[in-house]
Amino acid sequence: MAIAKCRFSGQPLHKTFVDLGMSPLANAYLRPEQLNKAEKIYPLHAYISEDTLLVQLEQFETPDQIFSDYAYFSSYSTSWLKHAKNYTDMMVEKFHFNHHTQVIEIASNDGYLLQYFLEKGIPVLGIEPAANIAKVAEDRGIPTINKFFGVETAKELVMEGKLADLLIGNNVLAHVPDLNDFIAGMKAILKPNGILTMEFPHILQLIEQNQFDTIYHEHFSYFSFLTIEKIFAAHNLRIFDVEELATHGGSLRIYAKHDDVDYPSIRERVRYLKEKEIAAGLHRIETYISFGEKVKATKHKLLSFILAAKAEGKSIVGYGAPAKGNTLLNYCGIGKDFIDYTVDCNPYKQGLFLPGTHIPIFHPDKIRETQPNYVLILPWNLKEEIMEQMAFISEWGGQFVVPIPEVQIYPCPVPDRVLIAL
């Protein structure tokens, strides 16, 4: 068997970050006629590169197979839309983008973000690999190219005179199997004085908050600031500022420029975050290889809660059908015998079934119909938004269960504190 290699340095990968067993692709939702057919499953084994400290999975499927027809639409989360609008307002105020500047977003999804720049009269262009999602953006009046991004796409756009004053990539970097090609493409399409911002989950939060369910095959890489700074520097891009965000359980937003440009100057937050990561041990491989034991403990706690609840005759349903939920359920072996069904606001997922577990997905109204005892919130990063939407479960004494960082039970309405911590 061939040894996996680091997708940045090319060095062999020998050390395990966490092994989550065998699992289907987290976004490979099933239609009813597929339920009796064999599903493809793959090792969900995250390694840590000894030379770069980049946490990563092997690639088993090409991006074209994973992302060409995708079920994730950003516009179905109100909190994410608010985040996008706040970002737009801040960037325009801080850097004075206007109708003379060009904003380009990589992995622009359904236009959830670019719509806010467009409202301000700023020219935009989206680059989105999923044809079904790109069409939705186009139908909303947001110019969108249906392609994967890398050096080749960047050169084509440069030839057409499309270069970015602001280049955006939110929650895309983890999805890129060829990091060096992707970042070289960003370098090529960025104007000489252009600014690049990217958001991605912060592995410091993944480790400290036990967010192992954010590991799935569609996420090839998991970044610390120390590692991403090293990767960008190798492509002559310099990170001049960074923000720690609450989104997706804890993310970073990095700001970068060409390394031969003096302005903007390096902000103090860069030094502060590097010191914070070093204090947390992210510069030492031992910090990473001890993570697996914490994950096993969480699995045992969640199963203990569910088994006890079922023994008491309680009913449990899910809320949401996110990719992270599929990692959690498949790793823990939680199927239809434990979870009756799940619900999701995204109509593209309703009527389908979760990969591996075959749990059916319904409209959220199903919860009012069946009045379950517990609602397991799978997109735990949106728990406040979901608890507010579903506060009516208090009418029959229903309670919310949040599995990460460890099993917690919340009463209704949204609590100031946790009622029970198992």
Side-chain angles (χ1 to χ4, degrees):
M1 181 176 172
I3 295 176
K5 294 183 178 180
C6 176
R7 59 178 38 91
F8 171 52
S9 70
Q11 294 300 306
L13 297 172
H14 297 294
K15 300 290 186 181
T16 292
F17 176 60
V18 64
D19 187 350
L20 299 175
M22 301 293 289
S23 186
L25 295 180
N27 280 298
Y29 300 93
L30 301 171
R31 298 184 302 276
E33 64 270 21
Q34 294 176 300
L35 291 177
N36 293 326
K37 296 179 181 178
E39 286 179 80
K40 288 185 177 180
I41 59 171
Y42 309 89
L44 192 52
H45 188 153
Y47 295 90
I48 174 72
S49 172
E50 294 174 69
D51 60 335
T52 65
L53 298 183
L54 175 63
V55 172
Q56 56 202 288
L57 301 175
E58 288 184 79
Q59 180 184 340
F60 294 101
E61 292 282 8
T62 65
D64 187 60
Q65 290 169 300
I66 296 173
F67 299 115
S68 290
D69 185 56
Y70 206 47
Y72 180 76
F73 287 74
S74 297
S75 291
Y76 287 108
S77 169
T78 54
S79 60
W80 186 243
L81 288 176
K82 183 179 179 183
H83 173 75
K85 187 177 188 310
N86 290 343
Y87 166 83
T88 303
D89 293 341
M90 179 193 68
M91 293 301 289
V92 171
E93 182 180 348
K94 184 182 289 189
F95 297 108
H96 311 294
F97 297 113
N98 54 46
H99 63 281
H100 295 299
T101 53
Q102 176 72 61
V103 175
I104 298 178
E105 184 181 10
I106 304 166
S108 51
N109 203 265
D110 57 7
Y112 75 100
L113 170 60
L114 292 181
Q115 64 180 331
Y116 297 116
F117 284 98
L118 203 59
E119 286 174 2
K120 296 176 183 290
I122 300 170
V124 301
L125 177 66
I127 304 170
E128 170 55 49
N132 62 320
I133 296 178
K135 184 180 184 306
V136 171
E138 279 281 350
D139 290 345
R140 296 171 65 180
I142 297 159
T144 304
I145 298 170
N146 178 214
K147 285 191 174 182
F148 284 94
F149 184 78
V151 169
E152 184 179 341
T153 299
K155 285 181 176 177
E156 289 174 7
L157 291 171
V158 170
M159 289 290 288
E160 297 170 10
K162 294 285 189 184
L163 285 95
D165 293 282
L166 172 61
L167 182 61
I168 306 168
N170 288 345
N171 299 302
V172 61
L173 201 58
H175 294 282
V176 176
D178 191 339
L179 273 179
N180 292 314
D181 176 70
F182 187 87
I183 296 173
M186 292 196 297
K187 170 80 175 173
I189 205 175
L190 189 65
K191 282 186 181 177
N193 291 304
I195 289 168
L196 178 164
T197 76
M198 303 203 83
E199 296 179 21
F200 49 84
H202 190 192
I203 198 164
L204 177 62
Q205 297 302 320
L206 189 155
I207 293 172
E208 291 188 343
Q209 301 299 319
N210 196 27
Q211 298 166 355
F212 68 89
D213 58 341
T214 60
I215 297 171
Y216 42 93
H217 297 106
E218 291 90 335
H219 279 179
F220 298 115
S221 305
Y222 304 80
F223 301 94
S224 66
F225 184 81
L226 294 168
T227 295
I228 198 64
E229 185 181 52
K230 187 185 303 182
I231 295 171
F232 270 53
H235 291 275
N236 300 312
L237 290 167
R238 178 171 295 169
I239 299 174
F240 66 86
D241 197 5
V242 62
E243 294 175 71
E244 295 180 83
L245 308 173
T247 53
H248 294 284
S251 298
L252 296 181
R253 177 189 289 147
I254 58 171
Y255 297 72
K257 60 180 180 176
H258 294 289
D259 64 1
D260 58 354
V261 177
D262 293 332
Y263 178 82
S265 57
I266 309 298
R267 295 286 304 275
E268 182 67 15
R269 290 188 293 200
V270 171
R271 182 184 64 81
Y272 170 79
L273 183 57
K274 288 163 74 170
E275 289 177 353
K276 181 178 179 178
E277 289 194 345
I278 289 169
L282 293 192
H283 63 307
R284 300 169 56 248
I285 196 165
E286 291 81 9
T287 302
Y288 299 88
I289 59 180
S290 62
F291 181 62
E293 291 307 311
K294 185 192 293 188
V295 173
K296 291 177 188 174
T298 301
K299 175 179 180 176
H300 297 155
K301 286 180 182 177
L302 179 57
L303 284 171
S304 294
F305 161 75
I306 289 177
L307 287 168
K310 298 307 283 186
E312 294 173 5
K314 305 289 188 182
S315 56
I316 307 171
V317 305
Y319 187 102
K324 62 167 63 76
N326 292 325
T327 290
L328 177 81
L329 297 174
N330 280 292
Y331 170 63
C332 294
I334 298 169
K336 292 184 294 183
D337 48 345
F338 292 135
I339 307 293
D340 298 341
Y341 61 84
T342 193
V343 301
D344 201 280
C345 290
N346 184 344
Y348 291 88
K349 293 183 180 179
Q350 293 164 14
L352 301 179
F353 296 78
L354 300 185
T357 61
H358 295 188
I359 294 169
I361 307 168
F362 294 103
H363 186 280
D365 289 348
K366 184 80 170 175
I367 288 179
R368 190 182 288 278
E369 292 171 21
T370 64
Q371 300 189 1
N373 300 108
Y374 294 107
V375 175
L376 176 65
I377 298 178
L378 295 172
W380 43 259
N381 53 302
L382 302 175
K383 64 179 182 288
E384 287 84 7
E385 177 183 332
I386 292 166
M387 288 179 184
E388 187 175 341
Q389 288 175 0
M390 307 298 292
F392 60 79
I393 72 171
S394 63
E395 294 170 12
W396 58 85
Q399 294 181 299
F400 295 106
V401 183
V402 179
I404 300 296
E406 62 179 356
V407 183
Q408 294 176 322
I409 302 173
Y410 293 86
C412 289
V414 182
D416 293 321
R417 60 186 178 84
V418 176
L419 180 67
I420 304 171
L422 299 176

